[in-house]
Amino acid sequence: MRARRALLYTPGDDLRKITKAAALGVDCLCMDIEDGVALNHKAEARQTIITALQTLDFGRTERLVRINAAGSGFEAVDVETVLFAGAQICPDGVVLPKAETAEQVQWVSAQIAAAEEHFGWPAGEIALIIQIETALGLVNIRQVLTADPRLQAVIFGAEDLAATMGATRTSTGWEVFYARSAVVAHAAAFDLQAIDMVNVDFHDLVGLEAEALQGAQMGFEGKQIIHPNQIEPVQRAFTPGDAEIAHARRVMDAYQLHQQAGRGAFALDGKMVDLPIVKAAARVLARAAAAGKT
């Protein structure tokens, strides 16, 4: 599965911004038809995204398209326009915002499958990512995350969630901490990537990196961003450092030696190492490999 450390949103109706973003080396670029686009620019956004997919070189950046929410009245034409534009125009994934029911997830997956079959694209090649960002979506999170095998990742949307709860967003984030924890725990339970909330203050890079580091410590594998300046701090926060990688390798090497000797738990650097520690070390090495660090 792809590394999705930094997921950058860009308005789908602005080809200049998409072009600039495609050259930034971000892990994922999400071309938006939803909240980032005015109601009277939705049609323009769809056509601009098609142009971008057809003409731009995104390099190794994952090309995502965020459609409008189920029930918005725009979702069907979003999917039909973008996914059925042509055999050479294929995004890497579709993002469904405000997911609240299994049926919504299954509907999007079925539309993607129909496009794959229509154009002869490999079945299951296009990823599906959903956003949990409403109170109802949070309450239904188990059924939403287990709705379809195409689902690869879940994004936590703190701003919209706070709005549906009537909560006031703060820099500390305690008003959404329960939901943030629930999203990452459920993602782990069902073997999905978890992508953390956006930090809307794109001038505060110190606060951003602290928040990103906290998200990484909680188990998130990446974070949403809204400005190019946020790419580097977020990628750094979600990429294991050299010392962390070296320690993880030592843990794995020592584990193999002790297993061969028939011993389970063992001491390393004055600390006990048992299976949970070994699993954590393996995750560090997997994250490093996904980020291109070996």
Side-chain angles (χ1 to χ4, degrees):
M1 191 176 293
R2 288 176 177 265
R4 297 184 173 112
R5 298 166 300 172
L7 189 158
L8 174 64
Y9 292 100
T10 189
D13 59 342
D14 193 328
L15 186 59
R16 182 188 64 82
K17 287 185 178 179
I18 297 174
T19 302
K20 180 180 178 180
L24 293 175
V26 68
D27 302 289
C28 310
L29 176 58
C30 188
M31 295 169 280
D32 191 19
I33 316 178
E34 197 217 10
D35 287 349
V37 175
L39 292 177
N40 61 350
H41 276 214
K42 301 289 187 184
E44 180 182 345
R46 297 181 195 109
Q47 295 303 319
T48 300
I49 290 170
I50 290 171
T51 298
L53 290 171
Q54 192 172 28
T55 62
L56 297 182
D57 180 4
F58 289 81
R60 299 180 64 181
T61 295
E62 184 178 32
R63 304 161 306 154
L64 303 176
V65 176
R66 181 165 72 172
I67 63 173
N68 284 277
S72 65
F74 296 110
E75 70 275 17
V77 67
D78 289 346
V79 169
E80 181 180 356
T81 303
V82 174
L83 286 180
F84 289 87
Q88 306 304 316
I89 306 170
C90 175
D92 296 312
V94 174
V95 177
L96 173 66
K98 300 177 178 65
E100 295 181 330
T101 68
E103 291 76 17
Q104 293 170 349
V105 177
Q106 291 161 355
W107 178 82
V108 177
S109 182
Q111 307 314 304
I112 296 172
E116 289 173 339
E117 182 178 5
H118 179 77
F119 290 114
W121 297 332
E125 182 178 73
I126 300 175
L128 175 57
I129 298 171
I130 61 100
Q131 292 184 275
I132 295 294
E133 50 184 344
T134 68
L136 182 58
L138 183 65
V139 169
N140 291 338
I141 189 168
R142 181 186 179 94
Q143 71 180 61
V144 172
L145 296 195
T146 58
D148 194 274
R150 185 184 298 274
L151 190 61
Q152 290 189 8
V154 54
I155 298 170
F156 173 50
E159 308 304 319
D160 280 284
L161 177 69
T164 68
M165 292 168 52
T168 300
R169 285 290 282 122
T170 67
S171 59
T172 60
W174 286 113
E175 67 282 355
V176 294
F177 188 76
Y178 162 73
R180 192 181 180 198
S181 299
V183 167
V184 72
H186 280 79
F190 302 119
D191 196 26
L192 300 171
Q193 287 183 332
I195 300 173
D196 201 9
M197 59 191 184
V198 70
N199 188 313
V200 297
D201 186 355
F202 52 83
H203 294 294
D204 181 14
L205 299 184
V206 174
L208 167 72
E209 188 158 7
E211 187 179 271
L213 285 168
Q214 182 186 54
Q217 291 167 351
M218 291 176 68
F220 284 95
E221 295 185 44
K223 188 173 184 65
Q224 304 165 83
I225 58 175
I226 55 173
H227 192 279
N229 289 345
Q230 295 180 317
I231 296 174
E232 185 179 352
V234 166
Q235 287 184 331
R236 184 166 57 245
F238 287 95
T239 302
D242 293 341
E244 187 178 5
I245 295 170
H247 177 72
R249 285 177 177 152
R250 291 184 64 233
V251 169
M252 297 304 295
D253 290 343
Y255 172 70
Q256 293 297 330
L257 289 174
H258 284 83
Q259 284 291 297
Q260 292 169 10
R263 294 193 294 270
F266 59 93
L268 182 68
D269 299 334
K271 297 180 181 179
M272 187 192 76
V273 175
D274 57 5
L275 195 56
I277 304 299
V278 173
K279 289 180 178 179
R283 285 195 296 270
V284 168
L285 296 179
R287 286 168 49 213
K293 294 186 71 172
T294 56

